[in-house]
Amino acid sequence: MKIAVVAPSRSLSHEAADQLYQLKDKNPELNEVVISIDQQCFLSSGHFAGDDGARASAFLEAANDPQIDAVWFARGGYGAGRILPLILPSLRAPAAHKTYIGYSDTGYLLAALAQLGVGKSVHGPMVSDALRPGGEAALLRVLRWLALGNEDCLEPSVMHDKRSYAFNLTILASLAASEHLPNLDGSILLLEDIGEHLYAIDRALMTAFSSGRLDRLRGIRCGRFSDVPTNDIDFGQTAEDIVRSWCDRYRIEFLGSADIGHDADNKIVPFPIAFRQALLP
């Protein structure tokens, strides 16, 4: 298996890259895995891992390469949504036969590819998670699932609810106003976020639900909402309370917790593959 690492948002540290290579080398079951980290991952252009053109080019080179089996995103942050207009018209046939894996800001790419029916979009740890406490386990989770098909790496509910999607809530709220969100009808939606005030979580849910794009969900699961800042006035609800209240308001079943979040315990959620795959040139 050949895995290409690209950075559609922020840049990757050399330390995280070194830890990935070392991890792969000390696990003999991964001997057949070849990992290539694009040098674009280490570029810096203000907030981003290179300008929009550089990030789009690196993604397209990996996606359109018939020798690559999976495209693994280096890290999130912000920037993936900016390059969608540059990459979507330039996808070619090899892009339809790949797995794309990441979370957080890279949800823009996962959603757009799933909406078009291009390859398999997967929520899961990114290379930058190597630097989190317990990060080695997070990276191994991805490698063992990609290379060995280890289903123990999946978020537990996905074993029963095969039609599941997982998104960072802030990204979902933005996607709900775009053409890039896949059809969620009849599916289970898993949500998580980090660093957002409780009122911002409530606002993002209001935005997502009022779009009408969540009306026919089969249910919602609540992942971890971590590092929530303290508000100057007590909001009066926890993050889970807020998710439950919006589910109640829109008569969507609340299905409990999900083992996803911005941490090393973040589990894998493969998106459903579109019934009709895109016909790419």
Side-chain angles (χ1 to χ4, degrees), residues 192-196 201 223-229 239 261-263:
E192 60 85 27
D193 216 323
I194 187 171
E196 297 290 346
I201 293 170
R224 289 178 287 280
F225 286 73
S226 54
D227 297 343
V228 176
H262 275 66
D263 52 52

Side-chain angles (χ1 to χ4, degrees), residues 61-74:
E61 183 176 350
N64 291 336
D65 184 344
Q67 302 301 315
I68 298 296
D69 300 297
V71 178
W72 195 2
F73 299 130

Side-chain angles (χ1 to χ4, degrees), residues 4 6 33 44 55 58 86 150 152 165-166 196 229 236 245 251:
V6 298
V33 175
S44 177
R55 300 195 320 282
L86 300 177
N150 189 341
D152 292 342
Y165 294 89
E196 297 290 346
S245 68
R251 299 181 179 179

Side-chain angles (χ1 to χ4, degrees), residues 175-213:
L175 284 166
S178 78
E179 62 184 314
H180 302 302
L181 187 67
N183 184 351
L184 301 179
D185 293 359
S187 65
I188 306 296
L189 178 62
L190 286 62
L191 297 173
E192 60 85 27
D193 216 323
I194 187 171
E196 297 290 346
H197 284 83
L198 291 168
Y199 67 80
I201 293 170
D202 188 74
R203 180 172 58 204
L205 284 162
M206 176 184 66
T207 301
F209 273 101
S210 63
S211 72
R213 310 290 287 276

Side-chain angles (χ1 to χ4, degrees), residues 27-211:
N27 284 273
E29 73 270 30
L30 302 175
N31 284 344
E32 301 302 315
V33 175
V34 177
I35 300 174
S36 175
I37 300 178
D38 195 293
Q39 287 302 303
Q40 170 270 325
C41 293
F42 308 113
L43 295 179
S44 177
S45 179
H47 178 89
F48 308 106
D51 61 24
D52 290 353
R55 300 195 320 282
S57 294
F59 174 85
L60 286 169
E61 183 176 350
N64 291 336
D65 184 344
Q67 302 301 315
I68 298 296
D69 300 297
V71 178
W72 195 2
F73 299 130
R75 67 168 296 173
Y78 171 65
R82 290 170 55 101
I83 64 174
L84 290 178
L86 300 177
I87 67 171
L88 298 183
S90 299
L91 293 169
R92 296 296 178 258
H97 305 287
K98 288 180 174 57
T99 297
Y100 303 87
I101 187 162
Y103 71 105
S104 190
D105 184 65
T106 66
Y108 284 110
L109 284 165
L110 299 178
L113 293 167
Q115 192 276 331
L116 289 174
V118 174
K120 177 188 287 187
S121 290
V122 179
H123 161 103
M126 294 181 287
V127 179
S128 61
D129 288 322
L131 302 184
R132 296 186 187 276
E136 181 174 305
L139 269 57
L140 278 175
R141 191 174 305 128
V142 171
L143 292 170
R144 287 171 173 162
W145 182 76
L146 283 173
L148 308 174
N150 189 341
E151 293 198 340
D152 292 342
C153 300
L154 298 176
E155 201 285 326
S157 69
V158 173
M159 301 295 291
H160 309 287
D161 300 317
K162 296 296 185 183
R163 186 170 174 80
S164 297
Y165 294 89
F167 287 107
N168 172 273
L169 173 59
T170 300
I171 303 304
L172 175 72
S174 179
L175 284 166
S178 78
E179 62 184 314
H180 302 302
L181 187 67
N183 184 351
L184 301 179
D185 293 359
S187 65
I188 306 296
L189 178 62
L190 286 62
L191 297 173
E192 60 85 27
D193 216 323
I194 187 171
E196 297 290 346
H197 284 83
L198 291 168
Y199 67 80
I201 293 170
D202 188 74
R203 180 172 58 204
L205 284 162
M206 176 184 66
T207 301
F209 273 101
S210 63
S211 72

